[in-house]
Amino acid sequence: MSDPGVSALLAFIGGTALAALLVVPYIAWSYRKRGRFGPGHAVLAFGMLVYALALWTYTLLPVPDTTPEWCARNAVRVPQLDPLRFIADFQEERIGSGLGATLRNPALQQVVFNVALFVPMGMFGRHMLHRGLPTVVAMGALTSLFIEFTQLTAVWGLFACPYRLFDVDDLIANTAGAAIGYALAPLLRVVPGQRVEAPPGEPRPVTTGRRLLGMAVDVVSVTLLGGLLSVAANALWIYGFGAVTAPQQLHWLLNYALPVSLLLLVVPLAGNGATFGQRVVLINPVGPDGGKPGIGRMLVRFAVGSGGYFTLDALGLGLPAVALLLVSAVAAGWTRGHRGLSGAAAGLRLVDTRAANARTSLVAEDRRPAPEESP
């Protein structure tokens, strides 16, 4: 086994990196499937992501240097197919008597670890995925079987020889751990911030937190998209053209101009007036007449809001950019209807997208011609 601390750290770092990439899709999913964003549910979802990576780090790492010499000395080619062999191993490795000696027995520690490793799967499977006991147990058994075959086949042929033992007792212990986790899953209900009070399609008030979350999604999405585009451009220039890096002008275009224009201008102009972040959290800006804001109002909102922040930052005016961001965050809580600094400057109101859609459907229904009466 690898050092548990190192495996846990790798799983946490990898989970955090994946969470950064998946946070926006998760927020969008949460508003559409759960009706709202719950911080408690988000924490558990992050925990589930880290746990999935921990299964990999604890069972496959560290990877040795599988040279022919190493394989000749250390390769694990014969699987352990004797069920409950750990009982005999426990007797063989027992040194001394008493509770302390029992707890220090390596065979017992291995079994307990393999059970505990799959307890979170059972808990997440029932609480987060809403699966029944047979499905959760099957998930545990199949996942364990996949891991054991991965070890038996030297990570499906990626390495010269198997460096971990295929052990049927691991399969039994992992499956038992998933079943135990299913029984313990109700403990996750104590995590606050998970309750959903209304059906997903029912409109909710536009709160300060929701407004700030939409603003954060705008900033994060522009930053992530710009970073991914820059990385792709650098890879193309380095490996395609043999250059050291992409031109500076291209970095400016990909880091700022393209993502800002796309997410904060094109998306609102082509859609219902909401920025990308507002669409994610189901916020819909409307003009004084209750309809889609005009182009002028959307340009004002862009200049005073996130668009202004990114423009100032791109011009090297970092302090004014941060000041604008802070003022906008404070204004989201103090302005009427939480429309914020940009909404107030543009004369906009904010409504729940589900309420706007329902109103549009009612208007369309009212305008539909009545059916002609039969003679």
Side-chain angles (χ1 to χ4, degrees), residues 213-337:
L213 185 60
M215 294 165 60
V217 169
D218 274 333
V219 173
V220 170
S221 299
V222 168
T223 303
L224 283 178
L225 180 57
L228 291 174
L229 291 174
S230 292
V231 169
N234 273 336
L236 176 62
W237 249 254
I238 293 173
Y239 296 105
F241 303 120
V244 176
T245 184
Q248 188 63 34
Q249 297 85 348
L250 184 61
H251 275 296
W252 179 86
L253 176 66
L254 297 179
N255 259 329
Y256 164 72
L258 185 58
V260 168
S261 300
L262 177 63
L263 299 181
L264 303 182
L265 275 178
V266 175
V267 169
L269 291 171
N272 59 3
T275 65
F276 179 76
Q278 290 175 335
R279 292 177 72 91
V280 167
V281 300
L282 297 181
I283 290 178
N284 189 41
V286 295
D289 60 351
K292 177 180 176 178
I295 295 177
R297 294 184 186 276
M298 284 193 277
L299 291 177
V300 170
R301 181 191 61 184
F302 173 85
V304 182
S306 300
Y309 162 75
F310 282 107
T311 300
L312 291 172
D313 187 61
L315 294 174
L317 302 174
L319 188 59
V322 173
L324 176 60
L325 197 64
L326 293 176
V327 171
S328 298
V330 173
W334 287 93
T335 50
R336 180 165 52 89

Side-chain angles (χ1 to χ4, degrees), residues 78-92:
V78 180
Q80 199 293 102
L81 301 178
D82 184 12
L84 305 182
R85 171 65 183 274
F86 72 89
I87 297 176
D89 293 340
F90 175 80
Q91 296 297 331
E92 293 174 2

Side-chain angles (χ1 to χ4, degrees), residues 72-160:
R73 295 192 308 267
N74 303 290
V76 185
R77 302 186 186 278
V78 180
Q80 199 293 102
L81 301 178
D82 184 12
L84 305 182
R85 171 65 183 274
F86 72 89
I87 297 176
D89 293 340
F90 175 80
Q91 296 297 331
E92 293 174 2
E93 300 185 30
R94 186 173 184 176
I95 300 176
S97 60
L99 179 61
T102 300
L103 295 178
R104 289 191 297 270
N105 191 299
L108 178 64
Q109 292 176 351
Q110 182 69 25
V111 172
V112 171
F113 173 79
N114 283 322
V115 172
L117 185 61
F118 272 63
V119 168
M121 177 176 290
M123 298 179 73
F124 288 134
R126 178 179 179 180
H127 184 76
M128 299 290 286
L129 304 180
H130 308 293
R131 296 294 183 259
L133 178 60
T135 302
V136 168
V137 171
M139 285 170 50
L142 291 175
T143 302
S144 178
L145 187 63
F146 177 78
I147 291 173
E148 295 301 319
F149 270 111
T150 300
Q151 295 173 340
L152 179 66
T153 59
V155 193
W156 307 100
L158 290 178
F159 297 95

Side-chain angles (χ1 to χ4, degrees), residues 324-362:
L324 176 60
L325 197 64
L326 293 176
V327 171
S328 298
V330 173
W334 287 93
T335 50
R336 180 165 52 89
H338 304 292
R339 56 183 178 170
L341 179 65
S342 60
L348 304 178
R349 292 186 299 110
L350 300 178
V351 299
D352 190 294
T353 301
R354 291 161 290 201
N357 290 342
R359 184 166 56 249
T360 301
S361 299
L362 289 175

